[in-house]
């Protein structure tokens, strides 16, 4: 079975130990918020002391809950690929990726995102932000939105111990500091669970529904399939199925 070291050696990343990863390995047991709030801000690794707060557990990500804000799962090819937190005119899409033990994956990816936006006819520039260097951009609109003008977006990234967390803030929060404050608060209090499984740098860390939500979803899907089957039978009855019979006695 491949190991992280094999993946990282291929990319030339594993020459020096990551002090952040070493510190995390000596921290509290996974998931222990440690009582009092720690100094500094997140995003947090699950092995660190992090503030106690209501969060929804989604596999590699624990997302803080804000009353009145929706948490949606973005699905592609039957796989959950991102989590979007949104309300009215603002939203933030979040993803976590496997990263090498040393070096900054966000530095590399930030440059690639900037190049891709420019190729598509948009604009992007690096700027200081609350979580370090970010990208402030104008990106081509989603064709389904009906918009024709370039749309504002902020790309935020943070390197953690063997993971990188990335967010894309869209809408009003991309240009208005007050509108962005709550989303930045959510991003800064996300807890990332990298897991011990080997994964190449840049691999998306798995996002999963909690067990009770997964069970409820499966039951809902099964009920919907049964209802669809019943409606189909009612609309297109089987011509070979025997109907009601009358027995006549003389």
């Amino acid at each position: 079975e491949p190991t992280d070291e094999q993946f990282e050696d291929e990319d030339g990343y594993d020459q020096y130990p990551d002090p952040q990863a070493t510190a995390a390995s000596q921290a509290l047991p996974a998931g222990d918020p440690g009582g009092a709030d720690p100094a500094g801000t997140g995003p947090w690794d699950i092995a660190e002391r992090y503030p106690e707060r209501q969060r929804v557990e989604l596999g590699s990500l624990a997302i803080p809950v804000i009353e009145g804000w929706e948490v949606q799962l973005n699905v592609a090819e039957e796989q959950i690929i991102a989590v979007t937190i949104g309300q009215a005119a603002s939203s933030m899409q979040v993803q976590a990726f496997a990263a090498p033990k040393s070096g900054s994956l966000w530095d590399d990816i930030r440059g690639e995102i900037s190049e891709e936006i420019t190729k598509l006819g948009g604009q992007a520039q690096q700027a200081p932000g609350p979580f370090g260097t970010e990208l402030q951009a104008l990106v081509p609109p989603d064709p389904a939105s009906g918009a024709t003008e370039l749309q504002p977006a902020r790309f935020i990234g943070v390197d953690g111990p063997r993971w990188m967390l990335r967010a894309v803030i869209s809408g009003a929060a991309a240009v208005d500091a007050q509108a962005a404050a709550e989303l930045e608060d959510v991003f800064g209090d996300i807890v990332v669970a990298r897991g011990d499984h080997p994964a190449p740098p840049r691999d998306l860390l798995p996002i999963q529904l909690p067990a009770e939500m997964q069970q409820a979803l499966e039951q809902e899907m099964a009920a919907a399939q049964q209802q669809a089957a019943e409606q189909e039978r009612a609309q297109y009855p089987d011509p070979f199925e025997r109907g009601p019979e009358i027995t006549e006695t003389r």
Side-chain angles (χ1 to χ4, degrees), residues 181-225:
E182 283 188 299
L183 289 177
E184 291 172 352
D185 178 57
V186 169
F187 184 78
D189 246 350
I190 291 174
V191 179
V192 180
R194 161 64 174 81
D196 295 327
H197 61 283
R202 300 175 180 242
D203 261 22
L204 184 66
L205 297 182
I207 301 171
Q208 302 167 341
L209 284 172
E212 61 275 12
M213 291 178 64
Q214 180 67 36
Q215 183 178 6
L217 179 62
E218 290 174 355
Q219 291 175 348
E220 184 179 336
M221 291 176 63
Q225 290 174 352

Side-chain angles (χ1 to χ4, degrees), residues 240-248:
F240 300 103
E241 184 178 355
R242 296 180 63 178
E245 298 182 358
I246 300 175
T247 302
E248 181 179 357

Side-chain angles (χ1 to χ4, degrees), residues 108-185:
D108 295 338
I109 288 182
R110 189 172 65 243
E112 294 170 9
I113 294 173
S114 180
E115 290 180 8
E116 185 64 23
I117 291 173
T118 302
K119 286 180 182 178
L120 294 173
Q123 305 170 20
Q125 63 178 6
Q126 299 192 48
F131 301 98
T133 304
E134 63 180 59
L135 277 181
Q136 297 179 357
L138 292 172
V139 300
D142 182 350
S145 68
T148 56
E149 298 180 352
L150 296 176
Q151 303 296 306
R154 288 172 56 196
F155 294 80
I156 300 171
V158 169
D159 291 296
R162 298 170 60 235
W163 52 260
M164 184 206 72
L165 185 66
R166 187 184 74 185
V168 184
I169 295 179
S170 305
V175 292
D176 184 281
Q178 186 174 356
E182 283 188 299
L183 289 177
E184 291 172 352
D185 178 57

Side-chain angles (χ1 to χ4, degrees), residues 1-91:
E1 185 178 358
T3 64
D4 281 327
E5 284 72 19
Q6 287 175 306
F7 287 130
E8 289 157 3
D9 285 339
E10 292 174 4
D11 294 330
Y13 279 110
D14 202 27
Q15 298 179 14
Y16 306 101
D18 182 1
Q20 194 173 11
T22 303
S25 68
Q26 298 172 350
L28 293 174
D32 188 347
D37 288 358
T41 60
W44 312 98
D45 185 80
I46 195 170
E48 295 179 289
R49 292 179 181 268
Y50 53 84
E52 223 173 318
R53 181 172 180 175
Q54 184 183 2
R55 296 178 176 87
V56 56
E57 304 286 341
L58 297 169
S60 61
L61 298 173
I63 306 292
V65 176
I66 297 181
E67 185 177 356
W69 290 69
E70 293 183 352
V71 177
Q72 298 180 339
L73 303 181
N74 305 125
V75 179
E77 297 180 357
E78 299 184 357
Q79 179 184 2
I80 303 173
I81 60 169
V83 180
T84 297
I85 303 99
Q87 181 196 51
S90 297
S91 66

Side-chain angles (χ1 to χ4, degrees), residues 93-115:
Q93 186 186 75
V94 181
Q95 295 173 298
F97 300 87
K101 290 183 178 179
S102 58
S104 173
L105 183 58
W106 173 235
D107 284 349
D108 295 338
I109 288 182
R110 189 172 65 243
E112 294 170 9
I113 294 173
S114 180
E115 290 180 8

